Amino acid sequence: MPTYTAPIADMQYILHDVLKITDSGIPGYDELDADYTSAILEEAGKISSEVLAPLNIVGDQEGCRLENGLVYTPKGFKAAFDQLREGGWTGLDVAPAYGGQGMPYLVGTAVGEMFSAANQALMMYPGLTHGAASAIAAHGSDEQKTTYLPKMTTCEWTGTMNLTEPHCGTDLGLMRTKAEPQDDGSYKITGQKIFISAGDHDLSDNVIHLVLAKIVGGPEGIKGVSLFIVPKFLVNEDGSLGERNDVSVGSLEEKMGIHGNSTCVMNYDQATGYLIGEEHKGMRAMFTMMNEARIGVGMQGLAQASAAYQNAVTYAKERLQGRAVTGVENPDGPADPLIVHPDIRRNLMAQKSFIEGGRAFMLWGAQLIDQAHRKEDAKANGLISLMTPVMKGFITDMGYNATVEAQQVYGGHGYIEEWGMSQFTRDARITMIYEGANGVQALDLVGRKLGADGGKPVMAFFEMIKDFAAENKDVEGMEPFLGPLKEGSKALQAAAMFFMQNGMKNPNVALSGSYDFMHLFGHVCLGYMWAQMAKTSLQALESGTGDKAFHENKLTTGKFYMARWMPMCSTHLARIESGADPVMSLDAEAF
């Protein structure tokens, strides 16, 4: 059975050596000294390896079941969920006003990677609740916040987001779920939603659904969409649970992965709902939840890659196959371990360099979120908005590919369920689809984020890289990192300029190149992270502080990324500059 060990040393290195969080000036970060974050991460790591990870395969094999209208989660999930609740982990970065611990989003992100790596399906229950609570906190009335947020913080009540319908996914303007106003200010919600993660289960006392619907008589299309709170059980004035609402589970989806999470078809039959925010402004409220969820999904993709990689490394060191071409390395055994072979090394280095770079990227992004919220920093807000589709799309694409590579290390055993590696691949696959398929992320990046605020965020990103390169151009040992980073940044700028010069005349030019642009952007971001880590580790080696082997290994891994991954930037640019014709010229009937 696969195991998981939390990467605490790497997280501490990123937080304190690279990001230098206590010196950032972000409110609340001054309390995050190394001892404090170590205590949190150590405890979270223990829960991950001892409580959550052993249940991962249980959830995969048992799945959820629907009996007499009630959904039951796999054996052991309830006890583990209660342990998370009782330890305060579900409210780690939630405001104290609602019963949370008020820690920065950064801490929640680090812990979230560990928990999701150990058991993605289980962690979706509190993860979705966190997103739903954030939407209510941002757009709900004072009464709604008081009624729902304290119990959602503790996950006594959990939450969902209900967008997709059988006939519409991304194009939410086509939705048919309707909301009829009532004399008491509530609404009657009628319709069907599909693919609702954590739609019903036995882990909490109530499920608070956030449902997109169109108020009868409202505008057509997306402009007529509103957001409603539709609880499984109605809530009395004193906060106690009342009668069952007219919402039910039609069926459970049979899925490729995340079997331990209950993905439901939800039926609303004149269910009582309560408007969040303004009429016909539902998408604005829902995007509060979706943007948080998209970054969380990026973290899930990274987490599955990390867990799969750990197990692949163990297998590569233990499995004896063939002899090293340069000479026997295990003379006392019948063969050498897999890890002596160059192709296995290539495979593992590709995973390792992505995972460690991706982890730095995600934690840097979490710091930007805290900077935007806690300092009301508009520049940081613009930068994280730009990065959100990259974090979701690029990291989950690369994360899924890493799980496939980890599976490949096992050879035939990777294809056998007994070894557990296929679960990482199957679970990671959904991250490329839900919360906006990655093609949609690419369109969002090019169509909306690239030109947002007159292009200031992307120009600030380019300037950041330019300044970093200038500041470190004379630092010995930095050239293997700065050269590829500068070339990648030039390719990214050239791609953006190509879109500006050609996209207005033919929008298909930009849209045909959007997916490559997202990956080009992602490689530049990880290249920037590796350059920062290289500078940090070079300084540590020069001063003689810290773990010498750790920093030398970090530099070696970073050089692999710059030498083997960053050349993809020129490939993506070439594809972009080929324009729309290779993509669009074939008649639809010819497919």
Side-chain angles (χ1 to χ4, degrees):
M1 182 175 74
T3 59
Y4 175 70
T5 302
I8 296 170
D10 198 47
M11 288 185 173
Q12 287 284 85
Y13 164 77
I14 296 168
L15 294 175
H16 299 287
D17 298 345
V18 180
L19 298 180
K20 298 183 179 0
I21 56 175
T22 55
D23 299 331
S24 66
I26 298 173
Y29 273 39
D30 56 328
E31 301 174 4
L32 301 180
D33 60 48
D35 289 340
Y36 185 59
T37 57
S38 177
I40 295 171
L41 298 180
E42 289 282 355
E43 185 59 29
K46 184 178 179 181
I47 293 171
S48 298
S49 60
E50 297 179 6
V51 178
L52 301 177
L55 291 173
N56 199 38
I57 196 167
V58 175
D60 187 53
Q61 293 176 347
E62 287 190 13
C64 298
R65 67 185 195 278
L66 175 63
E67 295 180 359
N68 299 319
L70 301 176
V71 176
Y72 298 90
T73 53
K75 181 172 56 182
F77 270 42
K78 180 70 164 66
F81 189 74
D82 287 344
Q83 188 168 337
L84 292 173
R85 290 182 50 249
E86 291 160 7
W89 295 102
T90 60
L92 194 65
D93 56 357
V94 178
Y98 306 122
Q101 298 188 46
M103 291 187 189
Y105 185 84
L106 177 69
V107 177
T109 299
V111 170
E113 184 200 322
M114 297 181 186
F115 286 173
S116 286
N119 196 320
Q120 178 178 331
L122 175 54
M123 291 313 301
M124 288 172 65
Y125 295 100
L128 286 156
T129 304
H130 190 290
S134 294
I136 294 173
H139 302 282
S141 66
D142 290 341
E143 181 181 358
Q144 288 171 339
K145 295 174 188 177
T146 301
T147 299
Y148 298 105
L149 293 185
K151 293 195 181 236
M152 294 178 76
T153 298
T154 60
C155 277
E156 292 173 75
W157 298 351
T158 54
T160 71
M161 56 192 299
N162 286 234
L163 290 77
T164 308
E165 298 183 8
H167 59 282
C168 70
T170 302
D171 190 354
L172 294 172
L174 297 176
M175 72 172 56
R176 297 171 184 160
T177 299
K178 64 179 182 178
E180 300 173 276
Q182 304 299 299
D183 292 340
D184 63 0
S186 67
Y187 292 77
K188 290 298 182 184
I189 312 297
T190 302
Q192 184 180 78
K193 299 289 184 176
I194 63 172
F195 306 155
I196 308 306
S197 300
D200 194 70
H201 50 82
D202 57 355
L203 302 181
S204 63
D205 297 331
N206 202 3
V207 181
I208 311 304
H209 300 288
L210 297 192
V211 183
L212 286 178
K214 292 182 176 179
I215 297 174
V216 175
E220 292 296 318
I222 200 69
K223 294 181 178 180
V225 173
S226 300
L227 183 64
F228 301 88
I229 296 173
V230 186
K232 175 180 176 180
F233 289 97
L234 298 175
V235 181
N236 296 321
E237 288 187 9
D238 63 0
S240 63
L241 295 183
E243 63 184 28
R244 175 72 185 256
N245 206 352
D246 292 316
V247 52
S248 61
V249 179
S251 63
L252 291 179
E253 305 284 8
E254 294 287 338
K255 309 187 298 292
M256 176 179 176
I258 54 168
H259 296 153
N261 193 267
S262 53
T263 307
C264 302
V265 173
M266 302 299 302
N267 294 322
Y268 296 87
D269 186 13
Q270 293 279 298
T272 299
Y274 307 95
L275 181 69
I276 299 180
E278 302 176 48
E279 291 185 352
H280 319 310
K281 302 291 184 183
M283 290 308 301
R284 182 175 63 181
M286 182 59 83
F287 265 106
T288 298
M289 184 174 183
M290 286 187 69
N291 284 333
E292 176 180 316
R294 285 173 174 175
I295 294 171
V297 170
M299 179 266 294
Q300 287 179 342
L302 176 70
Q304 293 306 297
S306 178
Y309 164 74
Q310 286 186 14
N311 287 277
V313 168
T314 299
Y315 187 83
K317 290 179 177 179
E318 295 177 351
R319 177 73 166 176
L320 304 181
Q321 292 282 282
R323 291 294 188 185
V325 294
T326 53
V328 174
E329 297 206 15
N330 180 32
D332 297 328
D336 290 333
L338 280 172
I339 201 163
V340 306
H341 302 302
D343 190 60
I344 296 295
R345 289 291 189 95
R346 172 203 59 78
N347 184 320
L348 293 174
M349 285 298 290
Q351 295 175 59
K352 179 178 172 64
S353 63
F354 157 67
I355 292 163
E356 293 180 14
R359 178 175 295 125
F361 183 40
M362 296 302 296
L363 292 175
W364 176 68
Q367 185 179 32
L368 283 176
I369 290 174
D370 283 328
Q371 187 173 336
H373 292 169
R374 292 177 172 238
K375 295 185 72 173
E376 297 183 353
D377 187 327
K379 184 177 179 180
N381 189 63
L383 199 52
I384 191 58
S385 295
L386 173 69
M387 294 298 165
T388 295
V390 182
M391 288 179 165
K392 197 282 184 184
F394 175 73
I395 294 296
T396 60
D397 276 356
M398 292 281 284
Y400 172 76
N401 288 341
T403 66
V404 173
E405 294 285 9
Q407 193 179 21
Q408 188 75 8
V409 171
Y410 280 69
H413 291 306
Y415 200 64
I416 303 299
E417 291 294 341
E418 175 187 349
W419 289 81
M421 292 303 290
S422 78
Q423 184 185 352
F424 296 123
T425 303
R426 289 184 286 104
D427 286 357
R429 186 63 183 88
I430 187 59
T431 65
M432 301 161 70
I433 300 173
Y434 63 10
E435 305 305 342
N438 285 356
V440 174
Q441 303 303 316
L443 297 180
D444 178 48
L445 175 63
V446 171
R448 294 192 180 97
K449 302 300 174 59
L450 194 57
D453 194 18
K456 288 180 182 178
V458 73
M459 294 306 296
F461 178 73
F462 291 142
E463 196 67 23
M464 191 184 310
I465 291 178
K466 179 182 176 183
D467 290 346
F468 180 86
E471 290 166 7
N472 296 282
K473 64 184 171 109
D474 296 324
V475 176
E476 186 177 353
M478 282 297 290
E479 181 50 34
F481 298 89
L482 294 182
L485 176 60
K486 288 189 288 186
E487 288 301 312
S489 182
K490 288 178 183 176
L492 187 61
Q493 293 178 64
M497 184 62 67
F498 180 80
F499 289 154
M500 289 177 60
Q501 292 172 343
N502 299 278
M504 291 298 290
K505 291 181 287 185
N506 181 4
N508 281 338
V509 168
L511 301 184
S512 295
S514 61
Y515 211 95
D516 279 286
F517 186 81
M518 180 177 71
H519 274 251
L520 171 52
F521 210 139
H523 283 303
V524 174
C525 287
L526 263 64
Y528 180 46
M529 294 299 109
W530 272 116
Q532 291 192 70
M533 288 189 282
K535 178 181 178 180
T536 300
S537 287
L538 285 168
Q539 289 175 338
L541 290 171
E542 183 179 2
S543 65
T545 60
D547 185 337
K548 181 181 178 183
F550 177 93
H551 292 296
E552 288 177 342
N553 292 341
K554 188 64 70 172
L555 289 168
T556 300
T557 305
K559 287 176 182 176
F560 177 95
Y561 195 91
M562 306 312 278
R564 302 286 296 222
W565 279 119
M566 289 301 285
M568 289 300 299
C569 293
S570 60
T571 299
H572 289 303
L573 176 61
R575 291 174 178 172
I576 290 167
E577 291 181 338
S578 72
D581 285 349
V583 176
M584 301 300 295
S585 59
L586 190 67
D587 291 336
E589 292 76 14
F591 281 90

